[in-house]
Amino acid sequence: VDGDGGCVGTRLENANPVIFQRSGDRVQTASEEDEDVHDPIDDREIFDILSINDPEHPLSLEELNVVEQFRVKVNDAESTVGIEFTPTIPHCSMATLIGLSIKVKLLRSLPDRFKVLNKQLADKERVAAALENASLLEVVNQCLSTRTI
Amino acid sequence: MAADSTLALSLVEEFVSGLQDSKAKDAAKGVKDGKFTVLQLVEALGSSLTSSQPHTRARGVLLLSEVLQECYRELTEREVEVLIAFYENRLKDHYVVTPPVLKGLKELTKCTNLPPGSAVSMLRSVFQDIHVQSLMLSERACVYSMLINIMETREAELKGLGADFVFGFVQSMDGERDPRNLLLAFQIAKNLIHRGYELGKFTEELFEVTSCYFPIDFSPPPNDPHGITREELVQALRAVLTGTPNFAEFLLPLLIEKLDSDVQSAKLDSLQTLAACVSQYEHKHVAEFLQGLWTAVRREVFQTSSERIESAGLAALTALTSCLSRSVLSSDSEDSLSTFLDFILTDCKHHLCEPDLKLVWPSAKLLQAACSASTSASHIITAAVMPSLLEQYNNRAQCSHRRTLLEVVQRFIHSVKNCQSSDNGLLLESDIELALDHLTRLLLIEEDDTVSLAVVECAGALAQLHPALVISKLIPRLKNELYTEPMNQDQGEASELHSHHSVRQRCLSALAAVSIKPSVVQESTPVLLEVLRSAHTGDVSFSVDEVVLTCRSLQRIAEQVQDTEEAGRCFHNIIIPHLLSLALQAALQGEGSSGTPSPLIEEAVLSAMVPVISTSCSRLQPTLAGQTASRAVSLFLDGDVSFLPDNSFPSHMQLLKVEVPQIDKLLSALEEMSCTCSHPLSYTSAAKCFAGLVNKKPQGDSLDSLIQRTMKRVCSELDSPSSSVHTQAFTLMIWVSKALLLRYHPLFTTLTDKLFSLLDDAGLGPMAADGFSLLMSDSTDVLNRASHADVRIMYRQRFFSENKAKLVQGFNAAPQEKKPNYLKALSNIVNKLPKQVQVTELPALLSLLLEALSCPDQDIHLTTLSCLEPVLVNPPQVLIQQLEALVNRLLALLCSPAMSVRIASLSCISALSYFPVHEVLPFRARVLRALAKPLDDKKRLVRREAVQARAQWFLLGSPGGR
């Protein structure tokens, strides 16, 4: 489920995506408000971080069902995060961009100790190189701009 | 018997040949007395019936028919059968014979013992052999009466005839002109429709043959002996035409056509008939005529010539809308209600925007008529109309326009209210009971918070509509559940106790929710009082939490119960005295006894009890409230105060209209108590009481001297270093200051000065700084508008502008170790100011606030940050000049031990990223580095804020960002 205008040319694939309801805001618990309790970083927290915009739709990836919660695996103790996501259209050209955006977002949002595992974008140098490219960074930043609605 | 047959013969002779009409009576008497039977009479009639002269034959039949008229009751089934066969046969005779034959048949139809099948055969013969409309008036009446009689007794047989019967009837009445006969014919038609005869393919014929009289145009001749009125005919015909939805496709076009007529009575009749018929219809029957009906009704209301027609038109519109609202829609059918309402809105809504023009009112009336039809219609219409009405109101400057608009709005409110009150009868009583059972069950077992909240609300809504059922069904169950002890309490597991507690909790909130009608309150509050009583005596064990909840429930009831004398009495005569006496008992017992202490001495319980009393006093029953006040005051004054350290009655100061008795004595008692008592709740309550009374005491010397006296006492306590009641004196002072501040009393400045001087006091300094928070915030129990206190507008701004200079001066002059007190006072004051005032005032105080951010007190940090945050949205120049200092302080606070400070500081940092890019860009690298640390904060809420802030700062100055 993402826009895939680029690949097909004349016809927009999925120009009118199915919109999935956003899972509601995380319910705040009493222990979260307790100064002394340590809250581990969990799957849902990462999922909330990843409310990234699809560059072709004014909806978040979650609303477009691109990234689903159960595909986020966090291990706070070992400082690893694994994300798998499905572009709803196979071989979508945007998949790489979304992957890159997720990776960048995590790099900016997670403590240093975390290693972000990404099967497609395992190569750290490739990510770094990509971010050197100004126009690519621009698109990524657009994805990561907080929506102000 | 021979003699009898002679008698019969002679009677026949005299009636038939001698034309003596009275002999018919004698013959009937003969049959009744058993002198001869009807069949013997027929034999005696023999020669006359076989005469070659039709008139003689008619005379003979007439005699028989007249005899039957008298004695149809005595006939046996066999006789009836023979007679029917005879009469049916005679129908084929000469036309002069027909009238007596029909008369005879009519008499026979009255017999209760008609043989099976005879009714049908009789009708067949009549329909076959007679052309009804060629008969004379009275014979036609005969035929109609026959039909009516048979329909009464032989419904099943007639229905067996199928549509033939309808066809026969249609033929018989086709062309009827006499009003008396029409009444009969309409009755038959009505019976056909209402009793479910099969109309089949003759539906349209039946409609045609009756509707041709519509609209009824009849003016009775002068001295009409029959007394038939037009209204009777109109009603009878309307009952026929509106009786079945099968007529809809014929009737509605007819009505639309007749509405166009010039005759007023025709219009009126059409509108009334329309209103009557749609009550039987569903949306599918009217769907295709909606446009036409609407156009016609609109025309009648817009161009109204008489009030009667207008109101009939509006009533028809309401009926039509309610018909459309009533229908159950299948998924594929069009929503004709909204289609129809769209017509109305399109044609009427824009007229509402022209309060000068005369179409405003007709349009408003039409919309309101539709609006009052059903809840759904009222939703659609008000949602469409209200916003534009309100906008109009705001835009129009002329009084007359505004007045018109207000009147329109008022009528809308009225019609919405109407439609809501008429929606009650939708549920059967048994359904409601069932619903109530389900609700009760859910209430007792459902653990999920959101569900049980919904259940409680639902029970509340139901109780508004069906108080009696709630009283008889729900309340006893809840009561039962509340008083049951948790099972095997000793070894009971924690979870079980917990679930028992939550059941009780739900019961308590349900009891509060259902108590809106006074009748329910009468039943529910005793249950709650009983909970308090048992908790006090220990008969049933309740936790402090549960007791507090009970008080909350009582308070909620006091807030929401309909303001009636009945409810007021319940509170003032029963509940409040009970509460006071329980509290007193508990306090007395708590003094000396050992044993388990009553939960009613807990501060939490007492504090929960107070609002019950104050809320009920602030409702609209001033006499009762006055009574309660005087009771409470005399209890307080005449009882020994020092002996009852736990009682606190800060209720009586709530009263505006109520004259508090013995006020001077009360004031000095309160002052004494607040300055001497050692129990915190008691002296605080006494101070609040005192302040409440001071706030309401009329301006004048007496008030001034009271304040001066109190100030003197307070100051002497505060100034004496050895005094043991510093806190008490300070509490009294701060509350009195608040009382005076709220009403702009001139003596307030004396108190402020004292308060400011205390900021330098080593012991009381921090307390004084906190005191400013109390001064500036709304108090929940006393000195607020709800308790009718004298509260001037914008007292906070006034206080701030009068005192900010003093604060800054004081701060600058104060020694280093006292500065935090000033900063705290400042941030307490600024924090409570309205945002727009903060934004304008802050620049001047900025350096002070930045100072506050680096002083060690966490509370100051938090209040200061919350003051700063709104200013950051639109940063003033002076703030940008101090950016370096601000960033440094904020980043330093990221290490604060208090999570709330870390969060507030992060959200300020996030706000900084929206400053002009060239101003903040130099800080980017530093901020990003500093923000890496809170990304790993142990608190999730802090991390969330950090993630957001860091994302913002990353975008700063980056391609695609800002």
Side-chain angles (χ1 to χ4, degrees):
Chain A
V1 167
D2 71 352
D4 204 356
C7 334
V8 193
T10 48
R11 206 179 124 259
L12 283 181
E13 263 181 69
N14 201 18
N16 222 351
V18 185
I19 298 168
F20 292 81
Q21 194 186 4
R22 302 196 53 156
S23 47
D25 285 343
R26 182 180 195 136
V27 182
Q28 203 159 317
T29 61
S31 75
E32 281 179 10
E33 287 163 19
D34 185 343
E35 295 272 7
D36 302 326
V37 179
H38 179 101
D39 312 320
I41 297 180
D42 61 12
D43 296 355
R44 172 65 201 249
E45 190 171 334
I46 301 300
F47 185 65
D48 285 341
I49 288 177
L50 291 180
S51 316
I52 298 173
N53 300 341
D54 182 325
E56 293 187 9
H57 288 290
L59 295 164
S60 76
L61 295 186
E62 183 192 353
E63 281 163 305
L64 294 165
N65 205 26
V66 171
V67 180
E68 294 162 274
Q69 186 170 19
F70 61 89
R71 317 274 223 108
V72 178
K73 284 278 165 284
V74 178
N75 189 329
D76 193 17
E78 293 175 10
S79 301
T80 55
V81 175
I83 312 272
E84 284 180 29
F85 74 94
T86 342
T88 343
I89 296 168
H91 317 300
C92 167
S93 68
M94 284 294 165
T96 326
L97 176 58
I98 293 170
L100 186 59
S101 300
I102 291 175
K103 180 111 188 179
V104 171
K105 176 82 179 181
L106 290 178
L107 282 174
R108 291 175 179 181
S109 308
L110 286 178
D112 284 343
R113 59 186 170 90
F114 271 86
K115 300 285 163 284
V116 181
L117 308 177
N118 184 319
K119 279 180 194 149
Q120 265 194 322
L121 303 166
D123 185 353
K124 212 175 177 181
E125 282 68 39
R126 275 172 62 198
V127 175
L131 293 186
E132 295 294 314
N133 179 332
S135 60
L136 189 51
L137 181 60
E138 180 174 349
V139 184
V140 169
N141 275 333
Q142 274 167 6
C143 296
L144 300 183
S145 296
T146 338
R147 285 187 301 155
T148 46
I149 296 172
Chain B
M1 283 306 275
D4 294 335
S5 59
T6 343
L7 174 62
L9 275 171
S10 73
L11 286 170
V12 167
E13 179 62 28
E14 284 166 80
F15 184 86
V16 177
S17 318
L19 298 176
Q20 297 181 33
D21 290 348
S22 62
K23 292 301 166 193
K25 285 258 183 307
D26 298 342
K29 193 167 182 302
V31 176
K32 273 190 181 163
D33 296 346
K35 296 213 173 76
F36 46 84
T37 65
V38 174
L39 293 183
Q40 280 167 336
L41 182 67
V42 175
E43 269 172 45
L45 276 168
S47 60
S48 358
L49 294 179
T50 51
S51 154
S52 60
Q53 288 298 314
H55 286 284
T56 314
R57 297 204 295 279
R59 194 73 190 156
V61 177
L62 181 61
L63 175 63
L64 183 59
S65 298
E66 295 216 337
V67 169
L68 288 180
Q69 183 181 2
E70 295 292 321
C71 45
Y72 63 90
R73 285 185 196 81
E74 277 105 66
L75 297 178
T76 64
E77 195 176 316
R78 169 80 196 130
E79 286 169 332
V80 173
E81 197 175 350
V82 173
L83 286 168
I84 287 177
F86 165 74
Y87 274 112
E88 279 179 14
N89 186 265
R90 288 298 89 203
L91 280 174
K92 299 184 185 351
D93 201 341
H94 193 275
Y95 72 90
V96 296
V97 186
T98 309
V101 170
L102 287 173
K103 182 174 165 59
L105 279 172
K106 184 185 93 179
E107 300 309 332
L108 285 172
T109 56
K110 292 183 194 160
C111 293
T112 46
N113 49 0
L114 281 180
S118 56
V120 170
S121 81
M122 213 186 310
L123 281 181
R124 278 191 196 286
S125 315
V126 170
F127 289 153
Q128 213 166 38
D129 299 325
I130 303 285
H131 181 241
V132 178
Q133 290 307 318
S134 350
L135 297 172
M136 302 295 285
L137 187 148
S138 58
E139 279 81 57
R140 300 200 304 269
C142 248
V143 175
Y144 298 135
S145 306
M146 269 177 71
L147 293 180
I148 291 175
N149 290 341
I150 304 176
M151 285 176 108
E152 289 305 320
T153 55
R154 288 289 180 267
E155 189 171 320
E157 282 180 41
L158 290 183
K159 283 185 177 165
L161 262 177
D164 285 355
F165 178 50
V166 178
F167 180 63
F169 166 70
V170 167
Q171 276 198 319
S172 319
M173 82 161 287
D174 191 4
E176 180 62 63
R177 298 201 53 84
D178 183 78
R180 282 161 289 172
N181 283 348
L182 275 178
L183 279 181
L184 294 174
F186 289 158
Q187 196 195 334
I188 296 167
K190 184 179 143 196
N191 289 349
L192 283 173
I193 289 164
H194 287 260
R195 297 184 186 170
Y197 285 82
E198 184 196 332
L199 305 183
K201 55 187 175 196
F202 300 111
T203 311
E204 189 170 359
E205 274 77 5
L206 182 63
F207 179 76
E208 288 299 330
V209 84
T210 47
S211 67
C212 62
Y213 301 98
F214 182 85
I216 297 275
D217 179 20
F218 167 69
S219 31
N223 317 321
D224 177 26
H226 310 292
I228 290 178
T229 63
R230 178 179 173 274
E231 196 50 30
E232 267 180 285
L233 285 164
V234 167
Q235 293 297 343
L237 178 59
R238 189 174 296 160
V240 175
L241 296 182
T242 64
T244 167
N246 295 336
F247 284 169
E249 54 176 316
F250 316 117
L251 178 61
L252 294 173
L254 178 73
L255 292 177
I256 294 173
E257 181 199 323
K258 297 294 177 192
L259 268 171
D260 210 9
S261 140
D262 290 333
V263 185
Q264 296 291 307
S265 64
K267 287 186 180 198
L268 191 63
D269 197 359
S270 303
L271 288 169
Q272 287 168 342
T273 308
L274 176 60
C277 74
V278 288
S279 70
Q280 306 279 328
Y281 294 174
E282 284 181 40
H283 70 100
K284 59 178 185 218
H285 299 120
V286 290
E288 61 175 303
F289 306 105
L290 286 177
Q291 178 75 64
L293 287 169
W294 161 241
T295 314
V297 171
R298 184 193 57 194
R299 186 187 54 229
E300 291 319 311
V301 176
F302 273 4
Q303 303 161 14
T304 181
S305 44
S306 88
E307 264 183 42
R308 285 187 71 197
I309 290 187
E310 186 194 69
S311 62
L314 295 175
L317 185 61
T318 306
L320 193 54
T321 315
S322 114
C323 156
L324 295 171
S325 318
R326 205 172 41 231
S327 307
V328 178
L329 293 179
S330 59
S331 54
D332 53 344
S333 64
E334 192 193 1
D335 180 1
S336 31
L337 176 64
S338 41
T339 315
F340 186 62
L341 294 181
D342 273 348
F343 293 152
I344 305 181
L345 284 168
T346 318
D347 288 348
C348 293
K349 193 179 156 193
H350 61 99
H351 291 306
L352 294 185
C353 305
E354 299 151 354
D356 268 338
L357 303 181
K358 68 186 175 85
L359 282 183
V360 172
W361 277 111
S363 301
K365 284 178 185 169
L366 283 166
L367 286 167
Q368 282 149 4
C371 191
S372 63
S374 71
T375 315
S376 41
S378 71
H379 270 296
I380 297 176
I381 291 190
T382 45
V385 163
M386 279 300 179
S388 79
L389 278 177
L390 296 180
E391 195 195 319
Q392 283 287 311
Y393 180 82
N394 288 330
N395 294 342
R396 301 270 170 184
Q398 272 189 40
C399 247
S400 61
H401 289 166
R402 288 186 149 204
R403 190 199 146 124
T404 313
L405 287 164
L406 277 182
E407 281 170 351
V408 171
V409 169
Q410 188 213 3
R411 307 238 325 216
F412 267 109
I413 293 170
H414 201 70
S415 43
V416 171
K417 205 170 138 213
N418 276 354
C419 83
Q420 278 169 350
S421 60
S422 65
D423 273 357
N424 286 358
L426 284 178
L427 293 173
L428 296 175
E429 178 149 322
S430 56
D431 290 343
I432 297 161
E433 278 185 36
L434 190 66
L436 211 52
D437 281 345
H438 280 301
L439 286 180
T440 321
R441 187 177 52 79
L442 283 172
L443 205 57
L444 300 182
I445 62 165
E446 184 54 58
E447 290 285 339
D448 185 87
D449 278 348
T450 43
V451 177
S452 58
L453 194 68
V455 170
V456 168
E457 273 174 22
C458 192
L462 208 57
Q464 290 235 49
L465 299 174
H466 308 280
L469 269 177
V470 168
I471 292 172
S472 64
K473 290 245 154 192
L474 184 65
I475 293 182
R477 283 289 301 277
L478 296 179
K479 182 176 175 182
N480 214 351
E481 203 60 38
L482 276 173
Y483 298 152
T484 29
E485 298 265 1
M487 290 208 278
N488 47 22
Q489 206 173 358
D490 303 329
Q491 70 264 46
E493 288 167 27
S495 67
E496 204 174 312
L497 275 173
H498 173 75
S499 90
H500 184 75
H501 172 68
S502 55
V503 169
R504 277 181 170 175
Q505 218 174 337
R506 291 195 295 272
C507 289
L508 289 170
S509 49
L511 273 176
V514 297
S515 305
I516 295 166
K517 298 250 175 192
S519 61
V520 183
V521 172
Q522 298 259 6
E523 300 297 322
S524 63
T525 49
V527 178
L528 294 170
L529 283 179
E530 182 59 25
V531 169
L532 293 179
R533 203 196 57 76
S534 331
H536 169 59
T537 57
D539 293 348
V540 185
S541 71
F542 287 95
S543 68
V544 172
D545 247 10
E546 287 162 350
V547 179
V548 169
L549 272 176
T550 312
C551 292
R552 296 251 167 79
S553 291
L554 280 172
Q555 184 197 348
R556 181 165 165 204
I557 297 174
E559 281 163 11
Q560 73 191 11
V561 65
Q562 289 170 353
D563 232 327
T564 61
E565 172 123 24
E566 187 189 4
R569 274 221 195 82
C570 179
F571 268 91
H572 290 283
N573 291 348
I574 300 169
I575 298 173
I576 295 176
H578 265 84
L579 290 177
L580 291 177
S581 98
L582 281 172
L584 267 172
Q585 281 174 28
L588 285 167
Q589 183 195 42
E591 275 290 277
S593 73
S594 46
T596 7
S598 157
L600 269 69
I601 62 168
E602 294 290 334
E603 187 169 327
V605 176
L606 285 171
S607 321
M609 219 182 248
V610 172
V612 181
I613 302 176
S614 53
T615 310
S616 32
C617 285
S618 61
R619 299 303 298 268
L620 292 176
Q621 303 292 333
T623 346
L624 290 168
Q627 193 187 328
T628 296
S630 74
R631 281 185 197 157
V633 170
S634 59
L635 175 66
F636 175 69
L637 288 178
D638 303 337
D640 188 354
V641 176
S642 58
F643 187 56
L644 297 174
D646 278 320
N647 75 37
S648 60
F649 309 117
S651 63
H652 29 248
M653 82 281 285
Q654 324 283 347
L655 314 164
L656 177 69
K657 296 174 198 129
V658 180
E659 206 49 40
V660 176
Q662 311 181 57
I663 185 150
D664 294 328
K665 193 176 164 199
L666 179 63
L667 278 169
S668 44
L670 285 169
E671 185 189 321
E672 182 62 29
M673 181 171 174
S674 61
C675 286
T676 56
C677 184
S678 63
H679 180 260
L681 181 60
S682 298
Y683 68 70
T684 312
S685 302
K688 287 184 188 178
C689 280
F690 189 80
L693 291 169
V694 165
N695 178 262
K696 285 173 186 168
K697 203 168 156 62
Q699 194 93 26
D701 291 344
S702 137
L703 176 63
D704 292 352
S705 64
L706 173 74
I707 297 170
Q708 271 148 4
R709 199 185 68 214
T710 312
M711 266 312 285
K712 211 171 139 197
R713 175 162 186 182
V714 166
C715 290
S716 75
E717 293 289 357
L718 289 175
D719 294 342
S720 118
S722 62
S723 167
S724 60
V725 290
H726 272 155
T727 320
Q728 284 87 328
F730 179 78
T731 310
L732 180 61
M733 183 181 95
I734 198 86
W735 278 103
V736 175
S737 313
K738 187 168 174 66
L740 298 179
L741 166 64
L742 293 182
R743 63 184 282 185
Y744 289 176
H745 194 279
L747 281 174
F748 173 62
T749 46
T750 333
L751 280 94
T752 343
D753 292 344
K754 182 69 197 165
L755 200 56
F756 276 111
S757 73
L758 284 176
L759 285 174
D760 286 329
D761 187 290
L764 288 168
M767 206 198 272
D770 285 334
F772 284 97
S773 163
L774 192 148
L775 276 187
M776 300 296 284
S777 52
D778 285 320
S779 136
T780 48
D781 49 358
V782 291
L783 291 175
N784 52 32
R785 289 202 169 82
S787 56
H788 310 297
D790 184 358
V791 182
R792 302 297 177 83
I793 54 167
M794 303 207 286
Y795 68 89
R796 293 186 183 88
Q797 286 92 312
R798 188 178 152 131
F799 178 75
F800 176 73
S801 56
E802 279 176 5
N803 293 296
K804 65 182 173 194
K806 252 183 245 173
L807 255 178
V808 177
Q809 263 169 24
F811 174 80
N812 291 332
Q816 194 57 40
E817 72 275 11
K818 300 285 166 47
K819 284 193 194 284
N821 290 340
Y822 283 91
L823 292 173
K824 193 166 190 184
L826 174 69
S827 69
N828 276 331
I829 298 170
V830 174
N831 195 27
K832 289 291 176 342
L833 288 175
K835 291 280 175 259
Q836 61 273 35
V837 183
Q838 282 185 355
V839 171
T840 51
E841 295 290 348
L842 265 181
L845 299 167
L846 193 67
S847 55
L848 225 59
L849 285 171
L850 288 177
E851 190 90 27
L853 285 183
S854 45
C855 87
D857 188 318
Q858 288 171 17
D859 291 347
I860 302 184
H861 294 156
L862 193 58
T863 42
T864 314
L865 287 172
S866 65
C867 298
L868 266 177
E869 210 189 321
V871 189
L872 298 181
V873 176
N874 226 336
Q877 195 52 41
V878 50
L879 192 65
I880 292 175
Q881 284 158 7
Q882 307 242 30
L883 203 53
E884 173 80 31
L886 182 60
V887 172
N888 284 341
R889 304 252 148 82
L890 288 174
L891 292 182
L893 286 178
L894 291 180
C895 303
S896 164
M899 66 185 277
S900 48
V901 173
R902 298 200 297 275
I903 292 174
S905 152
L906 281 166
S907 95
C908 287
I909 293 173
S910 182
L912 288 185
S913 75
Y914 290 100
F915 276 34
V917 179
H918 65 279
E919 301 283 0
V920 282
L921 201 56
F923 299 97
R924 183 173 184 261
R926 210 165 104 209
V927 171
L928 285 178
R929 233 178 3 258
L931 286 178
K933 188 167 172 275
L935 287 181
D936 209 7
D937 199 280
K938 68 174 178 178
K939 296 311 296 173
R940 182 170 298 126
L941 298 175
V942 177
R943 293 198 297 266
R944 192 163 70 191
E945 209 63 51
V947 165
Q948 258 171 32
R950 201 159 189 256
Q952 289 306 324
W953 276 86
F954 257 113
L955 292 175
L956 201 67
S958 179
R962 41 180 304 280

